Amino acid sequence: MAYRATLGATTWTFDGLADLMAKASPLRSGDALAGIAATSAQHNVAAKMALADVPLKAFLSQALVPYETDEVTRLILDGHDLEAFAPVAALTVGGFRDWLLSELATPAALARLAPGLTPEMVAAVSKLMRNQDLILAASKCRVVTKFRNTIGLPGTMAVRLQPNHPTDDPAGVTASILDGLLYGCGDAVIGINPASDNLSVLGDLTRLMDDLIQRFEIPTQSCVLTHVTTAIQLIERGAPVDLVFQSIAGTEAANASFGVTLALLQEGLDAGRSLNRGTVGDNVMYFETGQGSALSAGAHHGVDQQTLEARAYGVARAYAPLLVNTVVGFIGPEYLYDGKQIIRAGLEDHFCGKLLGAPLGVDVCYTNHAEADQDDMDSLLTLLAAAGVTFIMGVPGADDVMLNYQSTSFHDALYVRELLGRQRAPEFEAWLQRSRIVGADGRLAPRAAGHPLLTAGTEAKMGAGA
């Protein structure tokens, strides 16, 4: 089906919903690289005009990626909740934007609506929204998940403590973990990107984190960010696995490039839950995504990268994850060229994920060859915090020495808490107070030389057999 819009003396024609969505997207280098972006600002505006008039129902009958050949499309359409969709079923994309910004879109109404929305619907409406619209609408979304603490409550922002080390050295990893805990970070997860895929090394890292959590009775969870099949093997070997991790994308072919299928994700979910390690909930999955992954895998089907990113959240929500985050600037300038594109993408991703009911966090980050700097990340971090982002990263000094990219630091989280009053997960906050790391006001307490965590840090290779 063709779509048309007239702008001045020119009538623009768009060859189907996928073409229309791509041309309506704000400019980004990945869509230009794929040859699907609008050719001018006028072309982009015409596409937005046409998209605004598309009925939301159209996305239920016109699949952007073929139903017959893509299991992600089948998951999205077969799982669609018509009853939940009913309140907005008569709206166009433009009308849906107006509804989201109205008083009708309360947190309760948005939570009820989430199962009735498809990723394509939320991606479409995001293309009509200014940055402030994305922030306001996302701030009204509440997605709460639980494992050993409660993530996503109103007024909170959690932090993943990311203690990566280029050689997986236990002493180096431990030092980073202790540093992060003493800055009040780690309520989302203590999550390591391992340099190795050796099962013995991964098992040691898993036990190291578990030993620390159990020894000091920390109400948080740990994760070694390895492939889901490796996590299943660790579980089978008796390793104390809390969360099962996997990178995912928005098409079957892109997921195949990661070596995963929907059936395998279900197997990972079942394996994680079989251990019953959660104390307040059983959300055991942790997913990471990023705009451009399908294009880099040659699996984008002519669909724009932001819509495919939203489809990845459609995958994630089917497995009741504790955490989902977009590593927004990590894939590089081929997909998000500069700070402006990264900021826009981060706000889009957060809005789309939360609207779909995913517990969306953002790795506010960039690679060193992108046209971006830490000032851009400060801006995005502040905007996301205002929008109610579920969690961010805490990396020592904001410079990941293993993955070699720039992210956010322990200090950046403290900035958000001071500026906007964002609290930690309540169980973790209470532990920090009991441990004299923070005071009753949530601010860091003076650090004494004899603090038990610091004493533990001097012990040889905690949890690694010393």
Side-chain angles (χ1 to χ4, degrees), residues 317-399:
R317 69 175 175 180
Y319 300 94
L322 180 75
L323 305 167
V324 181
N325 76 265
T326 169
V327 194
V328 65
F330 183 75
I331 302 182
E334 299 83 2
Y335 307 97
L336 296 169
Y337 179 71
D338 57 15
K340 182 178 179 65
Q341 292 187 14
I342 293 172
I343 288 170
R344 174 69 190 190
L347 295 176
E348 289 171 345
D349 292 352
H350 178 249
F351 162 80
C352 289
K354 294 291 272 295
L355 195 57
L356 288 167
L360 226 292
V362 179
D363 190 344
V364 180
C365 65
Y366 64 102
T367 57
N368 288 311
H369 62 308
E371 292 295 321
D373 58 28
Q374 209 65 36
D375 285 338
D376 295 315
M377 300 306 105
D378 287 348
S379 297
L380 178 54
L381 172 62
T382 306
L383 296 172
L384 285 167
V389 69
T390 303
F391 69 104
I392 62 168
M393 304 300 119
V395 178
D399 185 356

Side-chain angles (χ1 to χ4, degrees), residues 175-250:
S176 292
I177 293 175
L178 296 176
D179 191 29
L181 290 171
L182 290 167
Y183 276 107
C185 295
D187 48 344
V189 64
I190 302 173
I192 301 173
N193 296 95
S196 171
D197 59 1
N198 180 279
L199 276 174
S200 178
V201 172
L202 301 181
D204 286 345
L205 291 174
T206 301
R207 286 184 286 273
L208 184 157
M209 292 186 289
D210 182 63
D211 176 69
L212 185 64
I213 289 171
Q214 299 301 328
R215 186 189 307 193
F216 293 98
E217 300 180 333
I218 307 171
T220 192
Q221 37 281 329
S222 68
C223 184
V224 175
L225 280 69
T226 187
H227 195 271
V228 61
T229 54
T230 307
I232 292 170
Q233 291 180 67
L234 288 171
I235 291 170
E236 291 172 343
R237 292 186 176 201
V241 173
D242 287 342
L243 304 185
V244 176
F245 171 81
Q246 184 56 49
S247 293
I248 56 173

Side-chain angles (χ1 to χ4, degrees), residues 445-457:
R447 190 166 63 183
H451 194 285
L453 277 172
L454 289 176
T455 303

Side-chain angles (χ1 to χ4, degrees), residues 162-176:
Q162 185 170 309
N164 296 344
H165 191 278
T167 63
D168 295 330
D169 177 65
V173 169
T174 299
S176 292

Side-chain angles (χ1 to χ4, degrees), residues 141-155:
C141 296
R142 304 280 184 264
V143 182
V144 178
T145 56
K146 299 181 179 185
F147 188 74
R148 288 201 190 96
N149 57 31
T150 307
I151 305 293
L153 292 171

